[in-house]
Amino acid sequence: MSFNIENASLTHANGFVALSGITLSAAAGERVAIIGPSGAGKTTLLRLLGAALRPTTGGLSLLGRDPWALPVGELRSLRARIGVVHQAPPLPQRQRVVTAVLAGRLGQWPLWKSIASLLYPLDIAGARAVLARLDLGDRLFDRCDRISGGQLQRVGLARVLYQQPDLMLADEPVSALDPSLARQTVRTLIADAEARGATLVASLHAVDLALAEFARIVGIKDGRIAFDLPAAEVSEVLLRDLYASECAGAAELPTLANEPRFAAHVVDAGPVTQGARCR
Amino acid sequence: MTGVAALRASAMSDPAARGRATSLVLGLVVLWPLLVIAEFKPAAIFEAQNLKTMAGFLAAFLPPETGQEFLVYLGRATLETLAIATAGIVLAFALAMPLALLTTRVLSVAEIGPGPGRRRAQALHYLLRAVLTVLRGIPELVWALVFVRVFGLGPAAGVLALALTYGGMLAKVYAEILESGDTRPARAILEAGGSRLQALLYGLLPGTAQELTSYTVYRWECAVRASVVMGFVGAGGLGQLMDQAMKMLNGGEASTILLTFLALVLAADALSGFLRRQVGEAGTGGRRSGIGSVGVLLGLAGAAAAAISFVYLGIGFGALLTLESLRSIGDFTASFFPPDLSPQWLSRVGYGVIETLAISAVGTLLAVVGGVVLALPASGRYGLAAEQFARFFLNTLRSVPELVWATLTALSVGLGPFAGVLALALHTTGVLGRLFAEALQNAPPQPRDALRDAGAQPAAAFLYGTLPEVAPQWLAYALYRWEMNIRMAAILGFVGAGGLGQLLYFELSLFHYAQACTVIVAMLLLSIAVDAASAGARRRLA
């Protein structure tokens, strides 16, 4: 079992209920896509799986351990086995791409190695290899503020590929990429997970991409699981229902083709812009 | 992809490595002679003899002297310090206003067209700018040291010294502020036949009055700090009392005076902050009169404070301006010229310049290290208790002026440049630590948090997630403080801490005015060079 959430709920400090009564589990090597309207709780669910947020109630086990029952040192080594691709890549502006990628293994490296690698990058070949898989091999020594938003998002992905985690979590990993690059990049992620037998959980805005590339689809709405089905069994009706409030009366579902994209940092849009996604 | 880029991309080694290694080696090659020149010998702090002197002196700090007679002296000296600062700023303002008016380009009628008399106007403009450079390029303490020889010991020298240096600074910054805003209204008034003063009042002041007032108040705060140490050269106030206490090794009195320093500097800090906030809130419109009632009240209070200051100091400006005293001032000034330009003396002054640079560089470097070490707890990384303690420690370090630190460090490690290094390091650590901590608190937390969530140790998350965000800011702060420390290192020698100041103090006490003149010119040139270098560096960084 890669992870197991049992009847977990999460209420933010301001009283907002982000998740309620979530029960979800995945076997090692499974690949799951999470879909649902903005504000449904996709990011919160991924943060729960990344041991970055603690559930208010309910049980949680990640890679066979309960993260919140572990002492600090063991929690750290558990986290080193979980990789998170953030929607807005959390990379310092003035850091070089090579350093940003190598930082993926800080959880595995001893401190002396982390310091030494700042003076001279210790694994240039490794960083170059993962960047090459994302078509970025030539940006190795560029600074993060000198590359485009789409390239920056792929640097964030390269960091997690370099980390080689057992549980890979991706929050809108391709939101800043054009449709064909998005598809290609998601395939790279899946191939990597497949090759290493790692579990992959990705939240995606583009429903068609999720249905085409992932075997299992979890639909989330208002902090609850709406459905959890093999891709083949997800019907048009279910999808319309899932996005009902967001696209009241609209015909189209969010897909690769009709989604507003090329925004470098699609941060949590919030309820104000929900309608904007529907055209 | 171009050929070069392809070549670079295929390289399996870091293309930046060579540059980094070169800078590292160069840095060490430059640092080594600097350490030697600054007589960097940390072991001196721990020598048994030095430790004993220092420990004996510090032991006497407790209890602080609270005798009634001494407290009366102290009260008077404190008031005198405040009065020197206030009177000095008033005179500086009186000097700066016309100078700023005349050096502000946008207020020049001759610039329009260009009109008649442009050449003459430009010549006057450059002449006045040169005068300003000389006024503010020579530190106030040097003016004070010279004036004490003309007007005798006492506050008059301090007030005049502040008036000259701060007059030069205010005039320059006033002109910059006036030219930074929208200058079209002023231009329109000039083109409509208005005078320079009218263009200022109706065209420029409405947009810049707040900033001008705010900067003047800030300068007053600086003047309080400056006049605290004025007494070290005999120009009255608390410094004179401190100087005596140090010479007598009277620890009890010294600690009382130091505590008064802290209180005074913190109070001036708070008052200036309060006044500047008032200025910021004033003038939000909707009133019939030009300034609100609060503005009028504050203005009246300021005028009253200025009047009281002059009365309290009782400087006989009339006596200063008699024919006889003017003649003696003229004779005294003439004795400085021509400066001694003999090769032997020039080489000694040249070494003094290098020593000054070395003191400032090593002192700033130590302060960067100390500032980082204290900024980490002060930014709240290690809990509230550590944060409060680190902040208190930093405030204490920066509340004590460099010159006062220098009297203490000279006692600890003996006279010489190393005492100056330590003094600069202690004060600057306080300043930089606070700035560094602010930068840490303002750094975006996401990169660091993401690394921690991926299992990185806190230290590694800091190095990879936070340091790249704050490093450019830290560097900018450090360079800015280094610039200020070069000026400060030039005068630390007045209390025996090496550099140009020690040379000047020595020559002046031997009445070698021609030699002293050379040193003053060297200080001036150093200040101008630092100005130009920092302006150039800022242009490149921007």
Side-chain angles (χ1 to χ4, degrees):
Chain A
M1 196 62 68
S2 183
F3 65 82
N4 185 23
I5 308 175
E6 243 169 90
N7 198 20
S9 300
L10 197 142
T11 309
H12 285 300
N14 59 9
F16 177 72
V17 180
L19 296 175
S20 59
I22 298 270
T23 298
L24 187 69
S25 62
E30 244 189 298
R31 288 175 291 287
V32 185
I34 298 179
I35 58 172
S38 351
K42 302 192 293 287
T43 300
T44 310
L45 177 59
L46 286 172
R47 286 173 64 74
L48 204 70
L49 289 173
L53 281 179
R54 186 176 187 161
T56 321
T57 59
L60 173 70
S61 128
L62 302 172
L63 300 170
R65 318 286 301 265
D66 175 0
W68 303 109
L70 292 176
V72 178
E74 283 182 52
L75 175 59
R76 191 181 296 150
S77 38
L78 173 66
R79 281 173 165 165
R81 294 171 60 201
I82 304 173
V84 183
V85 181
H86 296 259
Q87 191 175 5
L91 306 176
Q93 294 265 303
R94 302 173 71 99
Q95 197 164 55
R96 294 192 303 168
V97 168
V98 60
T99 317
V101 172
L102 293 184
R105 289 218 188 135
L106 288 182
Q108 296 147 49
W109 284 358
L111 190 57
W112 68 263
K113 196 171 174 186
S114 315
I115 295 172
S117 187
L118 275 184
L119 301 177
Y120 189 91
L122 289 184
D123 187 12
I124 294 176
R128 181 190 297 286
V130 290
L131 284 168
R133 280 156 68 189
L134 296 161
D135 277 342
L136 276 177
D138 54 332
R139 308 318 294 260
L140 191 59
F141 296 114
D142 279 323
R143 251 169 47 177
C144 284
D145 55 355
R146 301 276 162 81
I147 60 178
S148 74
Q151 287 171 333
L152 197 65
Q153 192 164 44
R154 280 179 288 154
V155 172
L157 272 161
R159 173 192 274 190
V160 174
L161 291 186
Y162 184 72
Q163 185 185 348
Q164 301 190 334
D166 296 325
L167 173 57
M168 212 186 306
L169 309 169
D171 188 8
E172 308 268 351
V174 293
S175 57
L177 307 182
D178 66 64
S180 70
L181 194 54
R183 194 174 296 277
Q184 187 195 329
T185 305
V186 165
R187 285 184 181 156
T188 309
L189 262 183
I190 291 174
D192 180 79
E194 212 158 20
R196 294 187 299 103
T199 313
L200 172 65
V201 183
S203 78
L204 291 169
H205 238 87
V207 175
D208 53 342
L209 184 62
L211 291 175
E213 306 295 339
F214 288 81
R216 181 178 167 194
I217 311 285
V218 174
I220 293 207
K221 189 178 180 181
D222 297 332
R224 295 174 178 279
I225 293 182
F227 58 80
D228 179 0
L229 293 168
E233 293 174 28
V234 177
S235 68
E236 182 85 10
V237 179
L238 276 177
L239 289 174
R240 295 239 169 264
D241 199 38
L242 187 66
Y243 288 96
S245 66
E246 187 177 352
C247 299
E252 282 176 296
L253 290 169
T255 60
L256 268 179
N258 72 3
E259 206 189 335
R261 49 183 61 255
F262 304 116
H265 297 279
V266 188
V267 194
D268 235 3
V272 186
T273 52
Q274 269 184 17
R277 288 179 186 278
C278 304
R279 311 268 175 100
Chain B
M1 196 192 296
T2 63
V4 178
L7 201 69
R8 210 171 61 108
S10 67
M12 266 308 180
S13 60
D14 186 350
R18 180 184 283 245
R20 286 184 186 180
T22 315
S23 353
L24 185 70
V25 171
L26 265 180
L28 290 178
V29 165
V30 173
L31 183 63
W32 182 248
L34 286 182
L35 289 176
V36 173
I37 293 170
E39 295 175 18
F40 184 71
K41 291 191 201 85
I45 304 171
F46 305 104
E47 260 169 42
Q49 186 58 42
N50 290 340
L51 273 183
K52 216 170 119 190
T53 319
M54 200 61 200
F57 182 60
L58 288 182
F61 266 48
L62 286 177
E65 172 68 51
T66 50
Q68 201 183 358
E69 196 187 357
F70 176 72
L71 285 187
V72 170
Y73 272 129
L74 187 72
R76 266 192 218 141
T78 310
L79 286 180
E80 191 171 80
T81 298
L82 280 173
I84 290 174
T86 311
I89 277 291
V90 170
L91 288 186
F93 180 77
L95 181 69
M97 233 21 233
L99 282 173
L101 202 58
L102 289 173
T103 51
T104 306
R105 268 250 161 89
V106 288
L107 290 178
S108 166
V109 185
E111 288 283 320
I112 300 172
R118 178 153 185 270
R119 194 156 292 196
R120 211 187 51 196
Q122 265 190 341
L124 181 72
H125 179 88
Y126 285 121
L127 179 74
L128 287 179
R129 291 247 160 173
V131 170
L132 288 187
T133 308
V134 173
L135 285 181
R136 71 194 151 82
I138 297 177
E140 63 269 20
L141 224 54
V142 174
W143 286 119
L145 188 63
V146 173
F147 286 154
V148 161
R149 269 146 223 287
V150 188
F151 307 119
L153 295 175
V159 171
L160 288 176
L162 276 180
L164 288 189
T165 303
Y166 280 49
M169 286 185 198
L170 285 178
K172 179 187 176 237
V173 176
Y174 284 171
E176 272 171 11
I177 292 176
L178 288 177
E179 284 180 356
S180 67
D182 183 5
T183 56
R184 283 170 307 177
R187 177 87 177 210
I189 290 168
L190 289 178
E191 282 171 7
S195 73
R196 195 183 272 273
L197 201 58
Q198 285 167 333
L200 173 77
L201 292 177
Y202 284 80
L204 289 184
L205 272 192
T208 54
Q210 275 191 12
E211 208 180 335
L212 291 173
T213 319
S214 175
Y215 184 77
T216 313
V217 172
Y218 165 72
R219 268 293 146 199
W220 172 78
E221 179 196 331
C222 298
V224 171
R225 265 177 267 156
S227 52
V228 157
V229 295
M230 217 53 111
F232 280 101
V233 295
L238 274 174
Q240 212 156 335
L241 221 54
M242 183 71 183
D243 197 32
Q244 286 160 11
M246 297 295 297
K247 282 189 178 131
M248 318 269 274
L249 284 183
N250 189 332
E253 286 187 7
S255 73
T256 309
I257 300 169
L258 274 179
L259 288 175
T260 315
F261 272 173
L262 292 189
L264 191 61
V265 169
L266 290 180
D269 226 28
L271 180 59
S272 142
F274 167 76
L275 287 176
R276 279 186 282 162
R277 268 196 305 282
Q278 292 296 318
V279 172
E281 283 163 13
T284 36
R287 283 191 314 262
R288 189 169 298 181
S289 60
I291 38 173
S293 50
V294 178
V296 171
L297 272 180
L298 288 177
L300 283 178
I308 293 170
S309 299
F310 279 106
V311 172
Y312 184 79
L313 292 175
I315 303 168
F317 283 104
L320 290 181
L321 294 177
T322 58
L323 199 62
E324 192 186 348
S325 75
L326 282 179
R327 188 177 297 140
S328 81
I329 291 172
D331 289 345
F332 178 70
T333 312
S335 65
F336 277 81
F337 294 95
D340 182 354
L341 295 178
S342 65
Q344 298 91 329
W345 185 241
L346 278 185
S347 74
R348 273 195 67 186
V349 173
Y351 185 79
V353 171
I354 294 173
E355 194 175 80
T356 303
L357 285 173
I359 292 171
S360 66
V362 179
T364 310
L365 217 55
L366 286 180
V368 168
V369 176
V372 171
V373 168
L374 286 169
L376 292 177
S379 68
R381 280 174 64 89
Y382 306 115
L384 193 65
E387 178 182 343
Q388 295 296 338
F389 179 75
R391 290 200 168 248
F392 172 76
F393 192 53
L394 288 171
N395 279 337
T396 312
L397 284 178
R398 95 191 149 84
S399 299
V400 178
E402 297 94 330
L403 217 64
V404 178
W405 276 125
T407 58
L408 291 170
T409 53
L411 206 64
S412 160
V413 297
L415 298 176
F418 186 46
V421 168
L422 287 181
L424 284 184
L426 286 167
H427 178 83
T428 312
T429 295
V431 177
L432 285 183
R434 201 170 78 129
L435 293 171
F436 285 0
E438 260 167 39
L440 280 178
Q441 283 173 331
N442 293 336
Q446 293 90 352
R448 181 202 61 201
D449 289 349
L451 288 170
R452 278 202 195 172
D453 288 346
Q457 301 170 46
F462 170 79
L463 289 174
Y464 280 76
T466 307
L467 192 61
E469 304 272 16
V470 296
Q473 247 179 313
W474 283 7
L475 183 69
Y477 285 141
L479 285 177
Y480 168 68
R481 278 315 296 196
W482 182 33
E483 181 193 332
M484 299 185 70
N485 280 347
I486 293 177
R487 293 172 217 273
M488 189 44 75
I491 51 175
L492 279 184
F494 292 174
V495 293
L500 283 174
Q502 200 160 346
L503 222 51
L504 179 63
Y505 196 80
F506 194 63
E507 295 306 320
L508 276 181
S509 42
L510 293 176
F511 305 103
H512 290 167
Y513 293 133
Q515 282 77 6
C517 184
T518 318
V519 182
I520 294 177
V521 170
M523 283 181 174
L524 183 60
L525 291 179
L526 185 63
S527 162
I528 293 172
V530 168
D531 246 9
S534 87
R538 259 193 280 276
R539 262 198 304 279
R540 275 186 53 190
L541 284 176

